[in-house]
């Protein structure tokens, strides 16, 4: 079936199998930041923004993207750059495998709630599993990033 | 799950007609269904039917089956109706991205014994609206199911609860609950719903004057099954404690 949608703000039109999940379609288009980490719909690594809303692309049938807008990390480099660099300097990441999903969902969080409490950060990122860090580094990294922005250090 | 045809009906009547066809599945959010190892002929997608709205009507609050769990937990109308309990109940489900995809209809249709969503809406006294059978109490739907029908809406009674409490236990954050309980008080009626996975949800109504005995009485009728998440004894203990807390929260001692 034919699917037409906006991928990172650029129109895309292609044929896809009826049951193809969005993650497979995106990876076939070279969006390699989108990864399947768990096969159980729980890890958050395949997060993309569908009409600005963070969703798990592993569970969205690609056909549902028809007529909609999909943003992946490849299309959000400018918005992610400052944050990702800051977090790396904080040593919040370890192996980095979960990083693309974590960055995508942090972007969604900060768009929805630019000044979250630590509790709100934890709640919003609960669906991004990380097997290295125990999450403390990431929460601390986001907190320090937000503080640095508030204090004009960025 | 694989399917040969992805069909997007434009009317509920069309979707209901499709639901009668053999080898056909109705898609919700596709969160767990996608993991099934089978191929079906037709997958019917409800995303174009306008079933993604939460509306106040003369009858109560009408919620479309395609409303996401995230919409439920952030709806000012539902937050006010439940005094915030809807958010407390649904936030522990996996993560924000999951709840943006998972639908109310998908969570109810499966009649899962582990569903926080089912527990909440049953306790609140909801009705389900089926395209074929019409409006039926959710308790009846949970008991009997509705094969080949199509769930289109959930309707909450106009009168908000006087008090409502949800208590669940998870072995680890974001996991399935071992047990979920909800207690809803409206006037003299106290409704208790318990989802003791893997057994189906159980609901019983009590008089508010019997509140001190509720936890003890409902335990006589509840059936538990041991599972990988917890032993029978642990589940019974959790149920007694969580129901007791719920009853206390709605005004019992």
């Amino acid at each position: 079936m034919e699917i037409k949608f906006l991928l990172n703000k650029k129109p895309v039109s292609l044929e896809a199998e009826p049951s193809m999940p969005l993650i497979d379609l995106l990876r076939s288009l070279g969006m390699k930041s989108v990864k399947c980490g768990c096969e159980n719909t729980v890890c958050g690594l395949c997060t993309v923004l569908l009409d600005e809303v963070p969703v798990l692309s592993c569970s969205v049938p690609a056909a549902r993207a028809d007529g909609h807008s999909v943003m992946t990390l490849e299309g959000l480099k400018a918005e992610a750059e400052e944050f990702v660099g800051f977090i790396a300097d904080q040593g919040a990441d370890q192996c980095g495998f979960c990083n693309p999903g974590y960055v995508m969902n942090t972007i969604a969080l900060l768009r929805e709630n630019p000044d979250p409490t630590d509790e709100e950060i934890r709640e919003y990122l609960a669906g991004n599993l990380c097997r290295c860090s125990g999450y403390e580094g990431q929460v601390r990294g986001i907190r320090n990033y937000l503080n640095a922005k508030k204090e004009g250090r960025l | 799950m694989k399917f040969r045809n992805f069909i997007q009906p434009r009317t509920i009547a069309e979707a209901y007609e499709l639901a009668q066809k053999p080898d056909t599945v109705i898609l919700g959010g596709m969160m767990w269904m996608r993991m099934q190892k089978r191929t079906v002929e037709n997958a019917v997608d409800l995303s174009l039917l306008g079933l993604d709205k939460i509306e106040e009507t003369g009858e109560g609050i009408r919620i479309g089956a395609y409303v996401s769990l995230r919409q439920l937990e952030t709806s000012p109308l539902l937050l006010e109706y439940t005094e915030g309990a809807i958010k407390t109940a649904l936030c522990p489900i996996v993560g924000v991205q999951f709840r943006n995809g998972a639908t109310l209809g998908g969570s109810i249709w499966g009649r899962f014994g582990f569903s926080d969503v089912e527990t909440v809406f049953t306790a609140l006294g909801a009705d389900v609206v089926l395209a074929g059978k019409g409006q039926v109490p959710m308790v009846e739907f949970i008991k009997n199911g509705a094969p080949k029908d199509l769930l289109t809406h959930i309707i909450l009674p106009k009168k908000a609860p006087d008090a409502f409490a949800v208590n669940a236990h998870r072995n680890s954050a974001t996991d399935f609950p071992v047990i979920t309980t909800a207690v809803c008080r409206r006037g003299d009626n106290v409704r208790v719903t318990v989802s003791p996975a893997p057994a189906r949800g159980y609901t019983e109504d009590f008089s508010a004057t019997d509140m001190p005995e509720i936890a003890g009485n409902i335990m006589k009728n509840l059936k538990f099954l041991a599972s990988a998440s917890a032993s029978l004894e642990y589940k019974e203990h959790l149920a007694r404690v969580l129901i007791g807390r719920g009853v206390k929260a709605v005004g019992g001692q």
Side-chain angles (χ1 to χ4, degrees), chain B residues 77-98:
Chain B
L77 193 58
L78 293 177
L79 285 167
E80 190 189 336
Y81 189 88
T82 63
E83 293 182 343
I86 188 103
K87 186 173 189 292
T88 312
L90 303 190
C91 267
I93 300 174
V94 188
V96 165
Q97 309 97 305
F98 183 95

Side-chain angles (χ1 to χ4, degrees), chain B residues 158-180:
Chain B
K158 196 172 181 63
K159 183 176 165 29
D162 295 321
F164 181 59
V166 182
N167 287 288
H169 176 78
R170 285 171 157 77
N171 284 340
S172 60
T174 77
D175 194 2
F176 288 113
V178 175
I179 189 163
T180 303

Side-chain angles (χ1 to χ4, degrees), chain B residues 48-68:
Chain B
L48 302 182
L49 297 179
L51 297 177
D52 56 351
K53 296 178 186 69
I54 302 171
E55 302 162 302
E56 210 165 5
T57 67
E59 202 182 353
I61 301 176
R62 189 169 178 259
I63 311 169
Y66 202 72
V67 163
S68 72

Side-chain angles (χ1 to χ4, degrees), chain A residues 14-90:
Chain A
L14 74 168
E15 283 292 321
E17 288 296 313
S19 52
M20 178 183 256
L22 183 58
I23 185 173
D24 290 356
L25 185 73
L26 294 172
R27 286 183 64 82
S28 76
L29 291 167
M31 303 298 118
K32 296 293 169 68
S33 74
V34 189
K35 295 181 281 186
C36 185
C38 70
E39 298 281 9
N40 290 314
T41 331
V42 295
C43 77
L45 185 50
C46 65
T47 301
V48 300
L49 304 184
L50 180 60
D51 292 339
E52 308 288 318
V53 174
V55 297
L56 300 171
S57 61
C58 67
S59 62
V60 176
R64 255 184 208 159
D66 188 49
H68 295 272
S69 159
V70 177
M71 295 295 291
T72 69
L73 193 53
E74 284 82 354
L76 291 166
K77 274 182 188 164
E79 190 170 348
E81 207 163 30
E82 182 183 74
F83 165 70
V84 170
F86 187 92
I87 291 286
D89 290 344
Q90 294 276 308

